[in-house]
Amino acid sequence: MTKRVGMEVSIAVAEMVKMADVDVVAVYPITPQTHIVEHLAELVADGELDAEYIPVESEHSAMSACLGSSAAGARTFTATASQGLELMHEVLYVASGMRLPIVMTVANRALSAPLSIWGDHSDVMAVRDTGWIQIFNENGQDVIDNTICAFRIAEHRDVLLPVMVHMDGFHLSHVIEPMFFPEEAQVKAFIPPNNYPLPLHPSKPVAMGDFAPPFIYTEARWAQEENLRKSKETILAVWDAFAKEFGRQYKPVESYRTEGAKTLLFTMGSFSETAMTAIDKLRDEGLNVGLVRLRLWRPFPFEELREAVKGAETLIVLDRALSTGGPGGPVCSEIRSALYNENPRPKIVSFVGGLGGRDITIAGFEEIVKRGMALAVKGSGKEFEIFGVRE
Amino acid sequence: MENLNVYAPRLIPKEEAFAPGHRACIGCGEVLAVRLATKAMGKNVVVVNATGCMEIIASQIPNTSWNVPWIHTLFENTAAVASGVESGLKAMMRKGRIPQEEINVAAIAGDGATLDIGLQALSGAMERGHKFLYICFDNEAYMNTGVQRSSSTPFGATTTTSPSGKQSQGQFSWKKDMPAIAVAHNIPYVATACPSYPFDMMDKVKKAMNVQGPSYIQIFSVCPTGWRCAGDLTVRLGRLAVETGVFPLYEVENGKYKMSMDVPKLKPLTDYTKLQGRFRHLTPETLSQIEAKVVEKYNEIKAKANGEVCA
Ligand SMILES: Cc1ncc(C[n+]2csc(CCOP(=O)(O)OP(=O)(O)O)c2C)c(N)n1
Ligand code: SF4
Ligand SMILES: [Mg+2]
């Protein structure tokens, strides 16, 4: 049976990776991801996890080594954040384009310059179009549950795509939380052995990574696109199976107190929990508001999003990243475009905040909602509002 | 000739790991080296290929020349990918997920991919001690993108990014000594080779595959297109590079240098340079300056080998 433990979330992630019995871990340290890779090193050193631990010399090589081991058919894990994720950038496209089921935890962090080790979603947004499945999480329980699900999703025959499991740097990576821990046997049963269809092996030579002239490149990209979109079916099925086995249900878009709400606040990641408390308070004040949390970032859950906002007149989206010189919040601009052709179409207000580890309190969320509601009525004439900035 | 007919088939396997029909230029020394090196590797190998001529000429969808398992991902990460393949196979064998057997991993890359953009990844993989063979096919420039200079381009050579002109004599720096960098990683086996000496080259590949740990071979690969020379000079130019001391053949086993062949009297440098358009602009003064450096480098390596020459 599952037991409740209090543990730092990063350590718990490493424990899940151990339970998933990975074959290869190729990692390079970066704050706030370090505790995951340090604990994995310990687990391997103590013989608790039988894996090859490759302490590579850069994140570019971390992801490259992952390509190699995954292509050989080995279950492969890595973790990174921020500059590390950016250094991996070109390799990420290869992982998805070559259909390699690598699982990676990203301890979301801001990007330089100026240097900031603290959390936001700048790193994620820069790798938005890399073709990875991307799952956001609110708390430690979500993170460990989705770490387990990630292996089953990635390696599923109908998917064969890499998966990023996002957790906010420090706000999640470094907190000690109570979590329900599964039994190792349960996890092993939940994740069938990796059975990569055409691994690199002399018994059946395959050529991987050939180059595509114009006559075939579009088809290759289209196949990838269809595959990523279709992966949602498997993601949903895995989450349902997880709920059956472990009793916790995940959904691409999750709603909190949205019944009859005319105004909806949108968040992604760890801020959602604070936002929930703010929503409770606003409801107590008699405001007709609810919260929508986006869990599945890629493939983008268009249908679920449209369903979740039905009946709402105002959406207030909080982004923890800034699309500089552009529309402001990247999540908001995706939501806008997803809803543009809807009739009726809600008013959408974009906020950017929580950058580089800046906290947003419960009162802060209340202010965002109230200001958002006012802006929706009178209009702001701006692409987005930046929250809490000292000018 | 009669003797050759008898012995050659015994020395070189007939089976092609690298099939014909690829798009390499006529007289390409690199592709000749790949063909022979893969014959020496045998069937139990996984090849990891960097972006560059050898990848582009042989892997256009829907065709491939590769008859052994082969993977190409990017330009600068080949050693890292190879370390992943090696680790993946090792872990899966240890855990009983695939049968236990000897599978070699060979990373192949150009000089640009090796000496320049991929040096960090290669250094990391060598330092970590993965059991893999890394072959650098050294044609002394970025050929795939149109003959740009690399740090392996010899002093004075014209390339598209080191053109000779009123203010320039071509390449402004001396060729990076990559084998020495490999040796500095204390790996068990380092060698230089050239397909103009096919048996020597293949022996070295076989030897490299059998060491426990990383091995590095730099193979001198004549590129008629980039060097602006006739396509039928490939083998001859390879020999001249060795005979002039431009590209000495040697091995470094566990740190111990050994010359692969003795060149009692080096040929004049111009025997080699005059056949190539890339050196045509050089003045006799510059050529003798280069020759002095070639001799100095050659003697340095010979001194390290302490006069020891393979039988
Ligand atoms: C990150 C990156 N930068 C640049 C390139 C462009 N590029 C592809 S191959 C190549 C040169 C290859 O030179 P070398 O490694 O010497 O191999 P050769 O083609 O000479 O055999 C370059 C510059 C690339 N593919 N990726
Ligand atoms: S450019 Fe040079 S290395 Fe490339 S295929 Fe042609 S001859 Fe070979
Ligand atoms: Mg080259």
Side-chain angles (χ1 to χ4, degrees), chain A residues 21-23 50 52 54 56-58 60-61 64-65 68-69 72-73 90 194 201-202 205-211 213, chain B residues 44 56 59-61 67 69-72 74 76-77 80-81 84-85 87 91-92 94-95 97 101 103 120-121 128:
Chain A
D21 192 23
V22 299
D23 301 311
D50 186 3
E52 285 296 307
I54 319 179
V56 279
E57 82 301 328
S58 73
H60 196 284
S61 285
S64 297
S69 76
E90 64 163 347
N194 184 15
H201 195 278
V206 289
M208 299 179 74
D210 294 17
F211 93 94
Chain B
N44 264 1
I56 280 294
S59 75
Q60 177 169 315
I61 292 174
N67 283 326
W70 174 91
I71 182 171
H72 156 258
L74 292 163
E76 70 278 46
N77 64 347
V81 176
V85 173
S87 300
M92 288 190 296
R94 189 175 61 230
K95 292 164 92 169
R97 296 199 25 223
E101 64 189 297
I103 300 175
Q120 172 183 319
R128 293 190 299 271

Side-chain angles (χ1 to χ4, degrees), chain A residues 9-245:
Chain A
V9 177
S10 288
I11 306 297
V13 168
E15 289 289 331
M16 292 309 115
V17 173
K18 179 196 119 183
M19 291 192 194
D21 192 23
V22 299
D23 301 311
V24 174
V25 175
V27 279
Y28 193 82
I30 181 167
T31 307
Q33 151 267 36
T34 40
H35 292 182
I36 302 174
V37 305
E38 288 166 1
H39 191 58
L40 279 168
E42 264 169 38
L43 291 170
V44 173
D46 291 341
E48 287 188 45
L49 168 61
D50 186 3
E52 285 296 307
Y53 186 95
I54 319 179
V56 279
E57 82 301 328
S58 73
E59 287 87 353
H60 196 284
S61 285
M63 189 44 65
S64 297
C66 287
L67 298 181
S69 76
S70 187
R75 180 168 288 164
T76 302
F77 176 83
T78 187
T80 192
S82 185
Q83 312 304 133
L85 190 61
E86 302 318 312
L87 191 56
M88 284 181 183
H89 196 92
E90 64 163 347
V91 199
L92 297 174
Y93 286 89
V94 180
S96 58
M98 288 174 68
R99 309 277 306 262
L100 298 171
I102 299 158
V103 172
M104 172 161 69
T105 308
V106 183
N108 312 131
R109 168 183 150 181
L111 292 177
S112 282
L115 190 149
S116 164
I117 59 164
W118 291 277
D120 73 25
H121 296 164
S122 308
D123 54 1
V124 192
M125 293 306 150
V127 300
R128 186 189 65 179
D129 296 337
T130 52
W132 284 56
I133 292 170
Q134 303 197 38
I135 301 169
F136 269 86
N137 296 290
E138 278 159 37
N139 54 44
Q141 188 72 59
D142 290 15
V143 175
I144 64 167
D145 290 353
N146 278 303
T147 304
I148 298 167
C149 291
F151 286 101
R152 177 149 157 183
I153 293 166
E155 293 169 4
H156 194 284
R157 216 26 190 264
D158 296 341
V159 178
L160 294 176
L161 284 172
V163 179
M164 281 183 215
V165 181
H166 292 293
M167 67 165 171
D168 288 343
F170 292 107
H171 279 101
L172 280 184
S173 62
H174 282 57
V175 295
I176 293 171
E177 281 195 23
M179 285 165 274
F180 290 103
F181 249 46
E183 294 291 341
E184 191 149 342
Q186 258 181 312
V187 174
K188 290 212 162 76
F190 188 73
I191 313 172
N194 184 15
N195 187 18
Y196 193 69
L198 285 172
L200 291 170
H201 195 278
S203 59
K204 192 175 194 308
V206 289
M208 299 179 74
D210 294 17
F211 93 94
F215 85 86
I216 197 73
Y217 186 81
T218 308
E219 285 69 22
R221 291 306 297 230
W222 180 240
Q224 193 187 346
E225 168 66 13
E226 282 192 308
N227 173 238
L228 179 55
R229 278 179 190 269
K230 219 171 114 293
S231 73
K232 200 173 81 185
E233 288 167 24
T234 307
I235 297 168
L236 296 179
V238 170
W239 277 338
D240 288 347
F242 187 88
K244 242 190 184 154
E245 179 66 25

